[in-house]
Amino acid sequence: MDNSYVLKFVNSNDVRKHLQTINYQFSVPEYAYLIWQNKCLSVTQKHLEFQLLIDTTDSCLVKTSNCKEGWDLHQTIKDYVALENKLISIFLKPEANSFYVAEWLELGDWHGGNCFFNNPDLAYEYAMKYADENPITSFRISKHYSDNSTSCSCVIEALYNSEGETMKIDHWGAPPEVWTEDDSTIWCERFDDMWFDIPIPFKPGDIVCDCYDKTPFVITDTVPWYRKEHPPKKAGTTHLCNFDMCASGYSLEKDTLSVMYNWVSFYYLNLEYYTDDLGGDNRILIAYSLFKQRKLNGDTLSKVVQMITAESFARKFCHDIDWVIDEETEKSLGLDIYKEKLYE
């Protein structure tokens, strides 16, 4: 197995470089998992990569906490690809009791969703026209069933990149009518039940971000780090899955400048060092970073955060003054300091 080839499926540049530096050797299950979780490959490309994996590796038994007897990796990949194709064909088939809705991701928020279509081609053309005329990052089309369900009707959703390639297909609510219990097991429990302790270059106190979201936070812990410090008392008693490949940390709520602790909220294989500006309000994150690294004590952290917060509110109050004040008065009141900082 070509280790350097497997590396390309890691989403984060910093994690990828670290694994290359330490010459990390991937297992075949990790190879399969990394293809599955990759966010840059289209569904078609993933299917080709899965086939290459099958052609170039030996199959193995994958044991998870939900399936201790194990399941055959190659066969499961074949079944998963077949299910993905099956779901796409259901999605693309117009039905009398269904309709389609298109939305697009623009400036970090989903928009649209106000037009309804009776076939996917019209919804796709509508979304693609908008994508051609506007700088969106992706769009999605969902197929809704009008089945008079009193619990949760079936929804099938396809995610596309701005070029119109299918990046993901999924469903929720009641499963499609042709969906079997075995299908649900393969779809929901095989890859999602996988867990690996893949090394990352970060340490507690580093300011990092998701390589797609780019919102900075101070990393404090990951599930693998915690398990090393607090080993389970009995082997095999802890349930670990894809959800547990996560990190925790402090993030900054921009409107209120409150610091939030986000428990296992960040997928750690997507993390990268935050390299953008850490001035202004983001200095609060620097303070928490130093605190986590034990370079600031709690009392100093509290005072520094209060000072930065007070400065920020002072600038805001200065900006909100709607009375015309001459420069001499501004200077005598000390407002010129905050006015200058507001536009730095």
Side-chain angles (χ1 to χ4, degrees):
M1 187 172 72
D2 185 349
N3 219 55
S4 61
Y5 187 81
V6 179
L7 269 174
K8 74 176 188 176
F9 300 116
V10 177
N11 296 316
S12 161
N13 286 327
D14 290 332
V15 174
R16 193 183 311 121
K17 290 175 184 176
H18 176 66
L19 294 173
Q20 186 173 29
T21 299
I22 65 174
N23 194 27
Y24 183 76
Q25 299 298 305
F26 294 102
S27 65
V28 177
E30 286 174 330
Y31 178 10
Y33 172 81
L34 288 174
I35 295 173
W36 173 77
Q37 60 83 59
N38 183 271
K39 289 183 177 292
C40 296
L41 296 173
S42 68
V43 170
T44 299
Q45 290 170 326
K46 283 187 179 182
H47 291 182
L48 293 173
E49 295 295 347
F50 275 137
Q51 187 58 54
L52 180 62
L53 180 151
I54 291 172
D55 293 340
T56 58
T57 65
D58 295 326
S59 190
C60 59
L61 205 62
V62 178
K63 296 182 179 181
T64 63
S65 52
N66 261 350
C67 187
K68 299 187 184 303
E69 66 275 15
W71 40 269
D72 183 81
L73 179 62
H74 281 192
Q75 186 57 52
T76 297
I77 290 173
K78 293 174 184 176
D79 293 340
Y80 186 86
V81 169
L83 276 178
E84 211 158 30
N85 287 330
K86 180 179 180 180
L87 193 59
I88 290 173
S89 67
I90 297 171
F91 172 80
L92 293 175
K93 180 183 178 183
E95 298 177 71
N97 65 331
S98 70
F99 62 93
Y100 296 83
V101 178
E103 300 170 288
W104 47 85
L105 188 62
E106 190 173 20
L107 299 176
D109 291 313
W110 287 100
H111 301 276
N114 300 317
C115 300
F116 307 98
F117 304 90
N118 59 14
N119 75 70
D121 293 336
L122 291 175
Y124 182 85
E125 290 172 10
Y126 168 71
M128 277 302 298
K129 184 176 186 298
Y130 191 91
D132 290 339
E133 298 172 353
N134 298 275
I136 70 169
T137 53
S138 60
F139 65 89
R140 63 189 181 191
I141 298 174
S142 53
K143 180 180 184 180
H144 298 257
Y145 284 84
S146 177
D147 55 6
N148 299 313
S149 171
T150 56
S151 54
C152 188
S153 298
C154 178
V155 177
I156 304 175
E157 182 179 280
L159 177 69
Y160 302 85
N161 60 19
S162 56
E163 285 75 42
E165 296 176 299
T166 306
M167 304 303 292
K168 186 178 181 182
I169 185 80
D170 205 352
H171 76 88
W172 62 88
E177 289 184 2
V178 294
W179 215 252
T180 67
E181 188 172 337
D182 287 342
D183 290 343
S184 293
T185 298
I186 293 167
W187 190 257
C188 301
E189 296 182 14
R190 290 301 183 244
F191 285 107
D192 267 311
D193 266 358
M194 298 175 86
W195 182 87
F196 304 101
D197 180 3
I198 297 176
I200 56 177
F202 318 108
K203 63 183 185 301
D206 284 343
I207 300 178
V208 298
C209 64
D210 184 283
C211 60
Y212 298 101
D213 181 71
K214 299 296 184 181
T215 301
F217 71 96
V218 179
I219 188 171
T220 59
D221 213 344
T222 69
V223 173
W225 295 351
Y226 182 86
R227 282 174 56 81
K228 285 183 175 69
E229 293 179 4
H230 306 85
K233 294 180 179 179
K234 291 184 180 180
T237 59
T238 304
H239 173 66
L240 292 168
C241 61
N242 178 59
F243 172 82
D244 299 297
M245 295 186 67
C246 290
S248 304
Y250 298 113
S251 64
L252 183 65
E253 208 289 314
K254 286 292 186 180
D255 292 333
T256 62
L257 298 188
S258 56
V259 175
M260 304 175 63
Y261 181 70
N262 308 99
W263 180 70
V264 292
S265 299
F266 311 98
Y267 183 58
Y268 70 70
L269 288 183
N270 281 1
L271 299 184
E272 293 182 350
Y273 291 108
Y274 187 74
T275 57
D276 289 345
D277 180 38
L278 282 170
D281 297 338
N282 278 336
R283 289 176 295 158
I284 292 176
L285 291 179
I286 296 177
Y288 269 82
S289 171
L290 294 171
F291 172 71
K292 185 61 184 176
Q293 297 174 57
R294 300 189 177 183
K295 296 178 182 178
L296 285 185
N297 61 23
D299 180 64
T300 305
L301 170 68
S302 176
K303 287 182 172 64
V304 169
V305 171
Q306 289 180 68
M307 288 170 60
I308 296 171
T309 303
E311 282 182 8
S312 181
F313 286 151
R315 290 195 299 271
K316 182 180 183 301
F317 294 148
C318 181
H319 178 66
D320 290 343
I321 293 175
D322 57 3
W323 187 268
V324 178
I325 303 176
D326 59 75
E327 290 185 11
E328 184 177 346
T329 304
E330 282 184 350
K331 188 173 181 180
S332 66
L333 292 173
L335 302 183
D336 56 326
I337 300 173
Y338 301 112
K339 185 176 181 181
E340 290 171 6
K341 287 187 175 181
L342 182 68
Y343 297 106
E344 282 180 352

